């Protein structure tokens, strides 16, 4: 197993790391889908309020490619469809029934999976609603079923704070993971498993598969960073990637023919009443996942996904399609008297201006900016911390000046959207959002 150590990046010591103990959550009364947090898709509803659906029933399709459909994470009745500004679908809520029937797809026997053609396998994944788990770099959009990627990256381990541990979600799922890996081998000639953190999970990887171990500070586990460090040519810029837990879901689908709804989710953060890993299901309500024993629920911000790259939601929200973590962080929306003269002993920060730089233990994180946005001062902090060696300060100024070509020359498409530049910027500039929006606009214009 090859090993690559990354030196650029930063891993803040944040309180509230989820324990590895796995507990099972009770069945919820309802589940939901959150289409607006699935990048780039243009959803077209296939159901309406009052419809009865089964597990796997398509709820909506992508207008760009109607063959790509997103299935229901539960069986029951569609009770609510919430629209936001410009009729953007905010969420689809399903009240579960006792039976929860599942729409099954005819799948080949285990010994026949290797014999089916790639075209038949793609059609099978599309029909079963499993295709959206495959995404393509550099834009992290849905993979194109009509193309063959140079490589598929299987990500085992995400070093973003509070992400689920592969050793936990692969426990008792080795057979499903192996079946999913065999399936990926039929989609692409080259499949590479990238392991971040616990190297012991390599035991779950079938023989004959390229295994690469990554170590170093965050964002070592980011697939765009991993590709940047391993690619051998420009053709690999269009590589696909998939999370290790989703590979196990592919294996479960190909053996049962039913859309799998089981998920292992991590709950962390200094405001969480109980941190750890939870065995639950897709579309779980955040309030049920977080628990009801928070001392000050109004002071906690629900962050779905990673601390640096997730999205904020309310207690009435639901787990996203690609997210498997819930972080409860102090909202931080309050004044701090005499903040300008305080030494900052308990403030996690990249800057060594605070005394927290001398603190060795984990510190509670909050969502406050602790300052106002200011003009870029060319301090170079973002460039020193960027794991893909772009010059964020110059790329940002090029985008502000509408010089897209120059931003591309500075490495805009290599941006891993990890959020470290935003976290470290002393001028409080939302660099990640600037780059993410620019990449998205460029992607739409080049389609």
């Amino acid at each position: 197993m090859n090993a690559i150590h990354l030196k650029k990046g930063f891993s803040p010591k944040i309180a509230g790391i989820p324990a590895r103990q796995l507990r099972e959550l009770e069945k919820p009364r309802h589940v939901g889908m959150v289409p607006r947090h699935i990048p780039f898709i243009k959803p077209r509803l296939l159901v309406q309020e009052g419809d009865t659906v089964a597990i796997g029933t398509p709820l909506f399709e992508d207008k760009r490619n109607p063959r790509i459909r997103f299935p229901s994470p539960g069986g029951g009745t569609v009770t609510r469809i919430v629209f936001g500004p410009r009729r953007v679908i905010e969420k689809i809520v399903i009240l579960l029934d006792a039976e929860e029937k599942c729409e099954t797809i005819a799948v080949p026997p285990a010994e026949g999976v290797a014999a089916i053609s790639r075209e038949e396998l793609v059609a099978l994944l599309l029909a079963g609603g499993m295709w959206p788990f495959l995404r393509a770099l550099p834009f992290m959009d849905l993979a194109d079923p009509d193309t063959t990627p140079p490589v598929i990256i299987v990500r085992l381990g995400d070093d973003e704070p509070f992400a689920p541990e592969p050793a936990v979600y692969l426990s008792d799922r080795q057979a499903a993971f192996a079946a999913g890996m065999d399936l990926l081998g039929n989609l692409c000639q080259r499949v590479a498993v990238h392991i971040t953190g616990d190297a012991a999970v390599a035991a779950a990887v079938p023989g004959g598969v390229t295994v690469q171990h990554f170590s170093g500070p965050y964002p070592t586990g980011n697939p765009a960073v991993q590709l940047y460090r391993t690619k051998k040519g420009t053709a690999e810029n269009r590589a696909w990637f998939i999370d290790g837990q989703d590979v196990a879901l592919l294996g479960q689908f190909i053996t049962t023919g039913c859309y799998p709804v089981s998920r292992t989710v991590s709950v962390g953060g200094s405001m969480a009443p109980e941190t750890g890993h939870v065995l639950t299901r897709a579309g779980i309500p955040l309030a049920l996942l977080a628990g009801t024993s928070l001392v000050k629920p109004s002071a906690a911000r629900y962050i779905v996904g990673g601390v640096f790259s997730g999205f904020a939601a309310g207690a009435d929200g639901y787990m996203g399609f690609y997210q498997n973590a819930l972080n409860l962080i102090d909202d931080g929306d309050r004044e701090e008297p005499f903040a300008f003269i305080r030494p900052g002993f308990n403030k996690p920060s990249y800057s060594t201006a605070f005394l927290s730089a001398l603190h060795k233990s984990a510190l509670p994180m909050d969502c406050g900016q602790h300052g106002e946005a200011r003009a870029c001062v060319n301090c170079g902090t973002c460039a020193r911390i960027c794991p893909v060696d772009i010059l964020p300060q110059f790329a940002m100024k090029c985008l502000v000046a509408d010089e897209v070509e120059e931003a591309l020359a500075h490495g805009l498409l290599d941006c891993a959207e990890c959020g470290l530049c935003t976290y470290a910027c002393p001028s409080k500039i939302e660099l990640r959002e600037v780059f993410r929006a620019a990449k998205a606009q460029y992607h739409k214009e080049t389609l």
Side-chain angles (χ1 to χ4, degrees), residues 64-190:
R64 303 174 304 167
N65 189 340
R67 294 182 297 164
I68 301 179
R69 297 183 168 189
F70 292 81
S72 171
T77 305
V78 178
T79 58
R80 194 157 52 108
I81 300 177
V82 180
F83 295 92
R86 303 181 65 180
R87 297 287 290 177
V88 173
I89 306 173
E90 297 280 349
K91 54 187 173 183
I92 304 170
V93 182
I94 301 160
L95 179 65
L96 303 180
D97 57 29
E99 296 182 0
E100 282 205 86
K101 295 181 180 178
C102 179
E103 286 193 2
T104 56
I105 304 294
V107 295
E111 61 275 7
V113 173
I116 65 175
S117 66
R118 186 183 187 277
E119 291 73 20
E120 292 173 319
L121 183 56
V122 169
L124 192 63
L125 295 178
L126 288 169
M130 301 299 294
W131 190 263
F133 289 115
L134 290 161
R135 290 190 285 170
L137 293 167
F139 303 104
M140 304 184 189
D141 194 2
L142 302 180
D144 184 358
D146 296 322
T147 63
T148 302
V151 61
I152 297 178
I153 296 173
V154 176
R155 185 175 61 157
L156 277 180
D158 184 353
D159 63 340
E160 184 155 0
F162 312 150
E165 292 281 351
V168 178
Y169 64 66
L170 287 182
S171 178
D172 300 327
R173 281 183 169 182
Q174 289 88 349
F177 181 78
M181 289 295 298
D182 291 341
L183 184 150
L184 293 178
N186 284 9
L187 288 178
C188 179
Q189 291 185 350
R190 182 175 167 227

Side-chain angles (χ1 to χ4, degrees), residues 79-320:
T79 58
R80 194 157 52 108
I81 300 177
V82 180
F83 295 92
R86 303 181 65 180
R87 297 287 290 177
V88 173
I89 306 173
E90 297 280 349
K91 54 187 173 183
I92 304 170
V93 182
I94 301 160
L95 179 65
L96 303 180
D97 57 29
E99 296 182 0
E100 282 205 86
K101 295 181 180 178
C102 179
E103 286 193 2
T104 56
I105 304 294
V107 295
E111 61 275 7
V113 173
I116 65 175
S117 66
R118 186 183 187 277
E119 291 73 20
E120 292 173 319
L121 183 56
V122 169
L124 192 63
L125 295 178
L126 288 169
M130 301 299 294
W131 190 263
F133 289 115
L134 290 161
R135 290 190 285 170
L137 293 167
F139 303 104
M140 304 184 189
D141 194 2
L142 302 180
D144 184 358
D146 296 322
T147 63
T148 302
V151 61
I152 297 178
I153 296 173
V154 176
R155 185 175 61 157
L156 277 180
D158 184 353
D159 63 340
E160 184 155 0
F162 312 150
E165 292 281 351
V168 178
Y169 64 66
L170 287 182
S171 178
D172 300 327
R173 281 183 169 182
Q174 289 88 349
F177 181 78
M181 289 295 298
D182 291 341
L183 184 150
L184 293 178
N186 284 9
L187 288 178
C188 179
Q189 291 185 350
R190 182 175 167 227
V191 179
V193 175
H194 291 178
I195 298 174
T196 305
D198 189 359
V201 297
V205 181
V209 177
T210 302
V211 178
Q212 190 90 49
H213 185 263
F214 289 82
S215 62
Y218 172 79
T220 302
N222 186 295
V225 175
Q226 295 173 346
L227 179 65
Y228 179 79
R229 297 296 177 182
T230 58
K231 64 182 178 182
K232 301 177 181 178
T234 56
E236 294 189 9
N237 287 334
R238 298 288 180 174
W240 294 0
F241 71 95
I242 184 172
D243 194 69
Q245 183 167 190
D246 298 334
V247 174
L249 298 180
L250 291 180
Q252 186 177 341
F253 165 77
I254 204 65
T255 54
T256 63
C258 185
Y259 180 74
V261 296
S262 176
R263 300 288 189 276
T264 299
V265 178
S266 61
V267 179
S270 58
M271 298 292 287
E274 183 179 1
T275 65
H277 289 70
V278 179
L279 181 61
T280 181
R281 60 186 299 157
I284 185 73
L286 300 184
L288 180 61
L289 189 61
T292 57
S293 59
L294 286 174
V295 178
K296 296 180 179 179
S298 60
R301 182 172 299 183
Y302 290 65
I303 301 178
V304 183
V307 172
F308 293 114
S309 61
F311 62 87
D316 59 344
Y318 298 87
M319 186 59 60

Side-chain angles (χ1 to χ4, degrees), residues 343-357:
F345 188 73
N346 292 317
K347 289 182 178 178
S349 173
Y350 175 73
S351 173
T352 56
F354 295 112
L355 285 182
S356 59

